[in-house]
Amino acid sequence: GQQVQQSPASLVLQEGENAELQCNFSTSLNSMQWFYQRPEGSLVSLFYNPSGTKQSGRLTSTTVIKERRSSLHISSSQITDSGTYLCAMELNYGGSGNKLIFGTGTLLSVKP
Amino acid sequence: EAAVTQSPRSKVAVTGGKVTLSCHQTNNHDYMYWYRQDTGHGLRLIHYSYVADSTEKGDIPDGYKASRPSQENFSLILELASLSQTAVYFCASKQGANTLYFGAGTRLSVL
């Protein structure tokens, strides 16, 4: 089954509204990351966040490893925030190294 | 900023033909990954490598081979391309417990 569950699958906001995106994991993990995929397809890292809370501008990521969940809060959304937000969990496979498994993403659309 | 370069950026292949996608990173990262992205499936891991001359199977390795001849280069090989392998392919790299850096992606169409 799907090891990384993201919610909501899609979200429409009016400019200026806040958003809370969720990521839940079905297994123990080493760490997790949040990514933003631009509408044209390129991917950028937002947060490497193995635990606790990290903030960058209007974005805040909170990870609670013991509860196998992470959230991404977007405050005062802007039209340029539109795109897909992906979370990924990192698993250690001992002699086979580390794998990163992605969720299916949250498609965010911010309207004027 | 880590640099990950993929080539080609797009390709049209015929069914049954051989396709090689290349990835080059300039930051001496240990880990390199190949993902494919299809609508509704997010990013799925095909193969990865954590050391040169060694590759590991990801979650969907069937129909794909990988090669890591050096620290910097990681290739994905489709020996017999099929229609179902039409997708966008992303290469990524990272060093240890750290941020993952992606290439720009390769759009592959198999006809």
Side-chain angles (χ1 to χ4, degrees):
Chain A
Q2 183 68 28
Q3 294 180 285
V4 184
Q5 297 281 357
Q6 285 193 246
S7 61
S10 62
L11 184 60
V12 179
L13 298 176
Q14 290 297 124
E15 194 173 17
E17 290 182 330
N18 300 332
E20 186 93 0
L21 311 181
Q22 301 289 343
C23 197
N24 290 281
F25 312 102
S26 62
T27 186
S28 299
L29 63 154
N30 288 6
S31 67
M32 64 79 54
Q33 302 187 32
W34 282 96
F35 296 86
Y36 168 63
Q37 187 166 32
R38 299 186 178 101
E40 43 83 2
S42 61
L43 286 148
V44 294
S45 174
L46 296 175
F47 292 102
Y48 174 83
N49 188 6
S51 66
T53 298
K54 293 191 174 182
Q55 183 175 3
S56 176
R58 295 180 295 104
L59 303 180
T60 303
S61 168
T62 300
T63 297
V64 184
I65 284 286
K66 287 194 296 184
E67 296 179 11
R68 301 178 183 175
R69 61 178 175 85
S70 183
S71 64
L72 179 68
H73 183 83
I74 304 172
S75 62
S76 303
S77 62
Q78 300 177 359
I79 294 171
T80 52
D81 293 333
S82 298
T84 301
Y85 292 80
L86 296 156
C87 67
M89 65 175 184
E90 185 166 1
L91 304 174
N92 181 266
Y93 280 77
S96 297
N98 288 9
K99 291 168 60 171
L100 275 94
I101 308 298
F102 282 79
T104 53
T106 294
L107 178 61
L108 177 64
S109 179
V110 182
K111 307 292 187 185
Chain B
E1 182 75 15
V4 181
T5 305
Q6 292 183 232
S7 62
R9 291 296 315 278
S10 66
K11 183 171 181 64
V12 178
V14 295
T15 305
K18 183 177 180 178
V19 176
T20 300
L21 307 183
S22 299
C23 181
H24 179 79
Q25 53 104 354
T26 58
N27 285 82
N28 203 33
H29 286 171
D30 287 336
Y31 280 91
M32 296 188 76
Y33 300 85
W34 276 108
Y35 290 90
R36 67 175 279 174
Q37 187 172 37
D38 305 271
T39 304
H41 284 279
L43 288 157
R44 292 184 290 174
L45 181 63
I46 307 170
H47 286 287
Y48 66 105
S49 168
Y50 60 92
V51 66
D53 292 324
S54 178
T55 63
E56 304 290 336
K57 292 182 179 180
D59 296 323
I60 54 164
D62 293 345
Y64 302 93
K65 288 172 55 178
S67 174
R68 182 94 181 267
S70 64
Q71 182 84 341
E72 299 79 20
N73 296 294
F74 191 38
S75 298
L76 186 69
I77 302 140
L78 290 66
E79 294 279 4
L80 295 169
S82 66
L83 293 172
S84 64
Q85 292 176 313
T86 292
V88 179
Y89 291 85
F90 287 96
C91 176
S93 74
K94 75 181 187 75
Q95 182 64 29
N98 219 319
T99 300
L100 188 67
Y101 294 92
F102 280 94
T106 295
R107 188 172 297 275
L108 175 65
S109 296
V110 182
L111 306 176

